[in-house]
Amino acid sequence: MTVMMTESAARQVQAKSGAAGGVGLRLGVKQSGCTGLAYVFDIAREIGETDIVFESFGAKLVIDPLSLPYLQGSQLDYVREGLGRVFKVNNPNVKASCGCGESFSVEEKS
């Protein structure tokens, strides 16, 4: 499976990473919040030996191998939310999320 980006997200990844001297956007997950996991976004300054790279519309999305099982099949979008615009992960693996939307959980695979 792959992780995709919309054209809107790809344009933002190119703009933000290019302005910061990066090669793309690093997307990962970490233990956090009341539901268990949270997304982590950062500029990818380099691609590590074990990183997995997905490319859409000319932009690179860099994911570490430990985060990939939680993100497989997801789509990164860049959307208007309230008065601002944000990256939003449309993740088919999410089974529950907290009320504030900052953390999520996935079904454990056996």
Side-chain angles (χ1 to χ4, degrees), residues 14-102:
Q14 288 175 321
K16 291 180 184 296
S17 65
V23 296
L25 181 72
R26 184 171 295 280
L27 172 62
V29 297
K30 68 175 184 173
Q31 295 290 323
S32 179
C34 53
T35 315
L37 299 168
Y39 298 111
V40 179
F41 299 93
D42 197 9
I43 299 298
R45 305 228 182 268
E46 60 184 30
I47 298 170
E49 191 174 297
T50 61
D51 286 334
I52 298 99
V53 179
F54 298 98
E55 192 166 340
S56 296
F57 302 101
K60 289 185 171 94
L61 192 58
V62 182
I63 300 174
D64 68 270
L66 295 177
S67 295
L68 186 59
Y70 301 104
L71 297 169
Q72 284 191 11
S74 294
Q75 181 187 57
L76 181 66
D77 200 359
Y78 190 72
V79 298
R80 180 171 301 283
E81 203 168 87
L83 297 176
R85 295 184 64 87
V86 297
F87 283 113
K88 180 172 179 72
V89 180
N90 298 311
N91 187 340
N93 305 302
V94 171
K95 299 302 176 202
S97 59
C98 68
C100 67
E102 292 296 317

